[in-house]
Amino acid sequence: MVPAAEGCWAQCCRRFADSGFPFLETRRHSTLRACGALSILGTFLAFLGFLGGFASGGFLLKALPWATVTTRRGTFTGGIRHVCNFEKGKCFELSSFDCDTTLDAHACEVCKVGASGAFIPVILTLVTYLTFGRNTWKRYTGDDSAQIKLMSCFAGLFGGATILSVLIAYWDTCVRFQVAREEREAQIGPGLVCIGVGASLLKLVCGALHLGLPVEEPGVEKPLKAGIEEAKTNDVSTA
């Protein structure tokens, strides 16, 4: 049973490694260069979102807030860790903020839950971008394997979908839910947009590109690549 299971697993790994799309395989290096460029752009945008989310006030929170809520008591600008009322020159740490002092304690508590849930995933998404870029470089330089392809797809597709769900939860609690309350307005800040595009959208695109590229191991001719070369040879012979 064990050898059969191992054989089945090896066969699945080989099929996964060889799977891909011909139009991407014929442009392999161009595709990986584009993926590398998107990874750099995504890291930059995610870092901007990180700065805004963890800013304790000042210019960064003004320029890169995740959400802005306007009530009868003024406009409150916040990220993950802090919320500020720049009109009064006051900033508060969100986790220790006393929601009972606000006009709507329930809305405040709901946003605190959404913000606290984004703390660790935002940090992890920046760390995983480093390994994702490294694996993309390995595939580009020919140091490719089924394991590297799997790690690249996992980081891109699963990682991008995970941070997207976290950001949606933040938007749902700190923006949409606030709008539904009486006498208040709320809107998404540029910091949330930056990390949404950089850490989720671009990561999902790169994960899909990695999924569409077969593994190119040194000295091993892939069926797809062999078929392309054979087609080229036939075209030359016919001409």
Side-chain angles (χ1 to χ4, degrees):
M1 290 296 294
V2 174
E6 290 180 350
C8 181
W9 173 252
Q11 186 177 10
C12 290
C13 288
R14 175 50 54 193
R15 287 183 178 179
F16 173 75
D18 291 339
S19 64
F21 302 108
F23 68 92
L24 289 180
E25 176 63 5
T26 56
R27 302 169 179 83
R28 181 180 185 85
H29 287 105
S30 298
T31 300
L32 288 172
R33 278 197 298 269
C35 189
L38 291 176
S39 297
I40 294 173
L41 177 60
T43 304
F44 175 71
L45 291 175
F47 185 66
L48 289 180
F50 170 85
L51 291 178
F54 284 84
S56 58
F59 171 76
L60 284 177
L61 193 55
K62 281 185 178 180
L64 297 167
W66 279 36
T68 301
V69 179
T70 302
T71 69
R72 284 183 294 169
R73 291 187 176 180
T75 299
F76 295 86
T77 303
I80 298 175
R81 298 293 304 278
H82 290 82
V83 59
C84 294
N85 184 334
F86 290 111
E87 298 168 350
K88 297 181 179 180
K90 295 182 179 181
C91 291
F92 312 91
E93 188 173 354
L94 195 56
S95 61
S96 59
F97 183 67
D98 185 8
C99 287
D100 290 333
T101 62
T102 65
L103 295 174
D104 193 335
H106 180 57
C108 174
E109 291 290 351
V110 167
C111 184
K112 284 176 66 174
V113 172
S116 63
F119 185 89
I120 294 178
V122 168
I123 296 175
L124 290 178
T125 195
L126 285 175
V127 175
T128 55
Y129 244 135
L130 299 178
T131 58
F132 183 74
R134 181 170 175 267
N135 288 331
T136 299
W137 175 254
K138 280 187 173 183
R139 299 199 73 188
Y140 178 74
T141 55
D143 186 14
D144 202 1
S145 67
Q147 180 182 2
I148 292 177
K149 178 180 178 178
L150 179 61
M151 291 173 62
S152 299
C153 294
F154 183 83
L157 299 176
F158 180 78
T162 300
I163 191 64
L164 178 61
S165 66
V166 171
L167 298 179
I168 289 176
Y170 181 94
W171 166 82
D172 186 52
T173 56
C174 294
V175 179
R176 190 197 65 80
F177 186 80
Q178 306 301 318
V179 173
R181 311 301 285 186
E182 294 181 2
E183 298 183 357
R184 63 178 53 205
E185 297 178 357
Q187 60 184 10
I188 296 174
L192 187 61
V193 175
C194 284
I195 198 165
V197 174
S200 180
L201 178 60
L202 296 184
K203 227 175 193 181
L204 288 170
V205 171
C206 287
L209 292 177
H210 275 289
L211 184 63
L213 283 176
V215 172
E216 188 177 61
E217 297 176 357
V220 178
E221 188 176 37
K222 295 286 178 264
L224 177 59
K225 186 175 182 181
I228 294 172
E229 294 298 328
E230 182 180 354
K232 289 182 178 179
T233 303
N234 291 337
D235 289 343
V236 172
S237 300
T238 303

